[in-house]
Amino acid sequence: MTRDLLAISAANQHKARAVIEDCGLYAAWESVGATVNLVGSLRTGLLLHRRDIDVHIYSQPFDIAQSFAAVAKMAEHPRLARVTYANLLQADDACLEWHVWFTDTHGESWRIDMIHLHPGSRYAGYFETVAERIERALTLETRLAILRLKDEIPPEAGVIGIEIYRAVIQGGVRDASGFSAWREAHPRAEIVDWMPDEPGSAEKREEVS
């Protein structure tokens, strides 16, 4: 089972990267001078069953018209089936939020979340740091535990990835029953902004104390 989950994860990550290439995501945004950073489970290598791709986008100067132009270029692809947009520049996120649904060559639908962040957003660069910290914190054991939980927890449970990552990496959770108990003790509101400590930070805290 362990080997199967690793293989499924690797295969779906390969498919996801093929989708990124096929839909012209990088080319479209780079054509308007923007930079695209991969974040989320594809960046950390923890993508399993869900066909979701997350990217954060930056441009200088920030231009709404250029954001629309990039997505319009992507929409020229005949297999890009749907686009949604939200202007959240006045919210804490300070971003333009794009979601597109793209059908790959196997007929599977992928959702691509493209968050075009204003340079002044509190989240500018934040989730890149989260992904980097998670990557550094992962071991083979914790990677497998995360994939097992993703495989066992049904979608209707409404669990988000960061809950699983914190439960496994920080909380030592290794199975679904342990996760249920851990989740009861850790409301989502207090963990959505969690990230692993920087390597060595625990030792530094001990020295200070």
Side-chain angles (χ1 to χ4, degrees), residues 140-153:
L140 178 59
E141 181 195 10
T142 55
R143 182 182 299 277
L144 291 172
I146 288 168
L147 293 179
R148 279 195 298 269
L149 285 169
K150 284 191 169 187
D151 187 53
E152 294 171 7
I153 297 170

Side-chain angles (χ1 to χ4, degrees), residues 38-59:
L38 191 65
V39 294
S41 60
L42 180 57
R43 162 70 186 272
T44 57
L46 295 170
L47 182 70
L48 188 61
H49 299 307
R50 293 184 63 180
R51 292 190 292 274
D52 287 344
I53 297 168
D54 299 291
V55 296
H56 281 188
I57 296 152
Y58 303 89
S59 61

Side-chain angles (χ1 to χ4, degrees), residues 42-103:
L42 180 57
R43 162 70 186 272
T44 57
L46 295 170
L47 182 70
L48 188 61
H49 299 307
R50 293 184 63 180
R51 292 190 292 274
D52 287 344
I53 297 168
D54 299 291
V55 296
H56 281 188
I57 296 152
Y58 303 89
S59 61
Q60 193 64 258
F62 183 89
D63 189 312
I64 294 177
Q66 295 286 46
S67 194
F68 272 84
V71 178
K73 189 170 184 65
M74 291 181 65
E76 294 175 3
H77 198 297
R79 283 188 274 110
L80 197 149
R82 180 184 168 204
V83 177
T84 66
Y85 161 78
N87 184 326
L88 301 176
L89 291 174
Q90 303 308 312
D92 287 344
D93 307 60
C95 68
L96 303 178
E97 186 174 294
W98 295 96
H99 304 283
V100 304
W101 283 260
F102 183 82
T103 305

Side-chain angles (χ1 to χ4, degrees), residues 92-172:
D92 287 344
D93 307 60
C95 68
L96 303 178
E97 186 174 294
W98 295 96
H99 304 283
V100 304
W101 283 260
F102 183 82
T103 305
D104 67 16
T105 54
H106 304 285
E108 294 180 324
S109 179
W110 291 77
R111 179 173 131 167
I112 307 172
D113 298 334
M114 303 181 296
I115 311 302
H116 189 181
L117 288 142
H118 188 277
S121 170
R122 61 177 291 202
Y123 291 114
Y126 176 81
F127 285 100
E128 289 87 339
T129 301
V130 172
E132 182 179 336
R133 296 267 190 93
I134 290 171
E135 283 181 295
R136 290 179 181 178
L138 285 173
T139 64
L140 178 59
E141 181 195 10
T142 55
R143 182 182 299 277
L144 291 172
I146 288 168
L147 293 179
R148 279 195 298 269
L149 285 169
K150 284 191 169 187
D151 187 53
E152 294 171 7
I153 297 170
E156 57 269 22
V159 173
I160 57 175
I162 197 71
E163 292 182 273
I164 296 175
Y165 306 156
R166 184 180 180 187
V168 170
I169 294 170
Q170 186 184 66

